[in-house]
Amino acid sequence: MSVIKLKGIEKNYEKNIKVLKNINLTFEQGTFNSIIGQSGSGKSTLLNIIGTLDKPTKGSLYFDDKLVDYNDIKSLEKIRNEKIGFVFQFHYLLPEFSVLDNVLLPVKIKENKVTKEKREETIKLLNLVGVKEKLDKKPNQLSGGQMQRVAIARALINHPKVILADEPTGNLDSDTTEKIYELMRNICYELKTTFIIITHDKKIAEKADRIVEIKDGKIELDIDNK
């Protein structure tokens, strides 16, 4: 079952600079996908369009076969908060909040409150990503890998169908990078969450179910790697 479809996506900037050119892609539920490409190839722009953080110049984006309306601000906010989880190269944890409260932030935004059940669910999620014993700690008391695990938990807390990750291990050493990717793969298969990950590391990309390479704004390769 497809969760995301991109049809004829193009993106132009000032002076008619074409960043994306006629992108057609479908992502299935519960798959682990990597997007690779050189700097400036358009891969981050593509991820931002999928995440509704940027609007295409031309083309259509579908979530669950429903056309995304970029002019409907409330609808876009609902998609971002309920259907998509974001993990970036920098974790963006709030330094004054504990690990537990950082993960619960999307819940507070969505529900305006945190129930006892949701707090217990969050603790289970922190256990899943391997940092349950750090739930009362502040971000500055964690290692880089631990902070990224917390960021992954935060992205998952509202049960999104899709996790979008832009160079999520770019600041981590090779051993920690491998552990984070193993964690994300396990979550993908256990929770049936679709992962779309941008990475410059071909060794990591090759471990995905699918590899999409972007070159000069076009799809250069689209390989089923299962």
Side-chain angles (χ1 to χ4, degrees):
M1 176 182 176
S2 67
V3 62
I4 294 173
K5 288 182 182 178
L6 299 101
K7 293 186 177 181
I9 293 291
E10 297 187 2
K11 181 64 180 181
N12 301 342
Y13 287 117
E14 292 180 6
K15 299 180 181 179
N16 202 32
I17 298 172
K18 293 188 176 182
V19 181
L20 295 176
K21 306 166 187 175
N22 193 32
I23 301 293
N24 295 282
L25 288 170
T26 299
F27 295 96
E28 302 296 325
Q29 184 73 41
T31 56
F32 197 80
N33 309 272
S34 64
I35 298 177
I36 61 173
Q38 294 182 351
S39 179
S41 62
K43 59 187 187 300
S44 289
T45 300
L46 177 60
L47 202 74
N48 286 338
I49 288 174
I50 294 172
T52 73
L53 300 174
D54 200 357
K55 181 179 179 179
T57 305
K58 183 180 178 182
S60 303
L61 172 68
Y62 296 82
F63 263 95
D64 294 330
D65 291 325
K66 293 182 180 178
L67 178 64
V68 173
D69 183 355
Y70 284 91
N71 295 315
D72 187 340
I73 303 302
K74 288 186 177 180
S75 175
L76 292 180
E77 290 175 348
K78 186 174 183 181
I79 289 172
R80 292 183 202 125
N81 200 40
E82 295 181 8
K83 292 193 175 185
I84 304 173
F86 296 93
V87 180
F88 300 102
Q89 183 173 354
F90 301 99
H91 50 76
Y92 296 115
L93 301 179
L94 297 181
E96 67 273 23
F97 287 4
S98 69
V99 163
L100 182 64
D101 287 335
N102 264 285
V103 176
L104 282 168
L105 273 175
V107 177
K108 292 176 182 178
I109 292 170
K110 180 183 176 182
E111 305 290 348
N112 252 339
K113 63 179 181 178
V114 176
T115 63
K116 179 182 177 182
E117 290 77 17
K118 199 66 179 180
R119 187 173 292 270
E120 290 174 351
E121 180 187 337
T122 304
I123 293 171
K124 290 179 181 178
L125 186 55
L126 288 169
N127 186 53
L128 176 66
V129 300
V131 289
K132 179 183 176 182
E133 73 283 359
K134 304 292 184 181
L135 62 88
D136 292 322
K137 300 292 186 182
K138 298 290 178 63
N140 64 3
Q141 296 175 292
L142 306 178
S143 68
Q146 289 169 338
M147 286 189 283
Q148 202 62 307
R149 287 170 182 265
V150 175
I152 292 169
R154 181 182 57 191
L156 289 166
I157 191 60
N158 280 340
H159 306 290
K161 284 195 168 186
V162 178
I163 295 289
L164 303 179
D166 193 349
E167 297 284 8
T169 58
N171 291 319
L172 303 177
D173 61 66
S174 57
D175 287 343
T176 307
T177 292
E178 179 58 38
K179 290 176 182 176
I180 292 296
Y181 272 92
E182 183 179 352
L183 169 66
M184 291 192 292
R185 282 195 299 269
N186 290 340
I187 290 170
C188 169
Y189 304 140
E190 184 174 336
L191 302 183
K192 305 303 180 186
T193 306
T194 301
F195 276 75
I196 304 174
I197 298 172
I198 283 181
T199 179
H200 66 278
D201 190 335
K202 287 192 175 182
K203 290 182 180 179
I204 292 297
E206 287 168 358
K207 297 178 181 178
D209 296 332
R210 180 184 182 193
I211 305 168
V212 177
E213 182 175 5
I214 305 294
K215 184 176 181 180
D216 298 328
K218 297 180 180 178
I219 298 173
E220 181 77 3
L221 291 172
D222 189 350
I223 302 170
D224 187 340
N225 200 38
K226 288 183 180 178

